[in-house]
Amino acid sequence: MSEKNLLPCIHVAEGDIPPRVLVCGDPQRAERISQRLEGARCLAQNREYWTYVGKHKGVDVAVVSHGVGCGGAAIAFESLWRAGAKVIIRTGTCGGMQPDVTAGSLVVATAACREEGVTEKMIPLSYPAVADGEVVSALLDAARQQSIPVHKGIVLTQALFYPGFLESTVKLYAKAGVKAMENEVASLLVVSSLHGVKAGAIIAVDAPAFELVGVDGYNQTAGAGNVAQAVEDEISIALDAVIRVPLD
């Protein structure tokens, strides 16, 4: 890692990051993903931003954690672009919003509803948060080759984790067919699109979305085994996918 001109928060410098990157919220998950890489080494650990580099099937890959919520995550995504990222895939967890999107399911995001309150400060809400087509295709192809079933469709990126006193739009979006709710994908897709980075996401469902079952009904332990396997599966899919996406 460079000794000078470190980018804010993530504490890596321009040129430190290879073109292909996996991101996730949890620093410990980033560390776990790095253990799948050949010759993995840690570049930086600052706040929620833990950065590792190594190789997957001989191709350079970085793994970076971004914490929970779009405000901090957008810092990571912008910094990764400045540091050299050209393809970014998020691996994370979410709440299911459809009857068949249950704990242990995987969802490949094709787009995201921008309800996170951050990207609207960058560009008007009429600008869509859309996953790169080549990234979506690579994720779906990798899932098929590994015989792992996935859902695909629009996800909802919410500003809040716990519901507040105001009525949320989750039930409305569920009625519209949105697959899952999470907290960072919209910022990844918008920041990446603005900078010409190819981005997408595959996320594991850990329980139904809060607003559909109530906070007391959000039981992550009910399908813990399935969820743990889904997280391992999404990592395998994302690693194979990120090295297949063309850089040009």
Side-chain angles (χ1 to χ4, degrees):
M1 183 179 68
S2 303
E3 293 294 330
K4 59 182 179 178
N5 299 323
L6 295 181
L7 290 160
C9 299
I10 70 170
H11 282 196
V12 300
E14 294 183 11
D16 281 347
I17 296 296
R20 295 178 167 88
V21 184
L22 296 192
V23 294
C24 60
D26 183 359
Q28 293 184 349
R29 182 175 298 150
E31 182 179 28
R32 193 160 79 248
I33 296 172
S34 76
Q35 293 169 0
R36 300 246 204 134
L37 301 178
E38 306 142 16
R41 60 190 178 93
C42 180
L43 283 186
Q45 291 181 333
N46 187 58
R47 300 188 179 189
E48 65 264 46
Y49 310 102
W50 293 15
T51 301
Y52 301 86
V53 293
K55 293 181 183 292
H56 178 63
K57 298 182 177 179
V59 179
D60 290 328
V61 175
V63 182
V64 183
S65 60
H66 53 66
V68 177
C70 278
I75 295 171
F77 306 145
E78 173 88 16
S79 298
L80 287 171
W81 163 68
R82 293 176 181 273
K86 294 184 177 180
V87 181
I88 303 176
I89 297 178
R90 166 163 153 71
T91 60
T93 54
C94 60
M97 290 174 56
Q98 299 299 322
D100 60 336
V101 183
T102 55
S105 297
L106 291 176
V107 178
V108 173
T110 57
C113 305
R114 293 170 56 192
E115 292 278 347
E116 26 54 54
V118 174
T119 60
E120 65 190 66
K121 309 301 182 185
M122 303 175 188
I123 195 161
L125 285 169
S126 56
Y127 186 90
V130 181
D132 179 82
E134 290 177 317
V135 174
V136 172
S137 293
L139 287 166
L140 295 176
D141 287 346
R144 278 193 292 268
Q145 291 185 10
Q146 296 181 39
S147 299
I148 300 172
V150 297
H151 301 271
K152 70 168 183 172
I154 300 170
V155 302
L156 167 63
T157 301
Q158 277 271 74
L160 298 176
F161 184 78
Y162 288 108
F165 288 102
L166 298 177
E167 185 175 355
S168 81
T169 54
V170 172
K171 291 181 180 179
L172 172 64
Y173 283 121
K175 186 176 180 181
V178 172
K179 300 293 185 182
M181 188 197 81
E182 55 79 66
N183 298 107
E184 297 86 24
V185 168
S187 63
L188 170 62
L189 300 183
V190 170
V191 171
S192 297
S193 292
L194 292 176
H195 294 307
V197 174
K198 298 178 181 181
I202 181 168
I203 46 182
V205 179
D206 56 21
F210 277 143
E211 287 89 340
L212 302 182
V213 295
V215 173
D216 292 338
Y218 189 88
N219 184 1
Q220 288 183 294
T221 63
N226 290 339
V227 175
Q229 183 60 55
V231 170
E232 294 303 315
D233 287 344
E234 72 176 357
I235 293 168
S236 297
I237 291 168
L239 282 170
D240 279 358
V242 76
I243 65 173
R244 298 180 187 182
V245 179
L247 297 180
D248 53 6

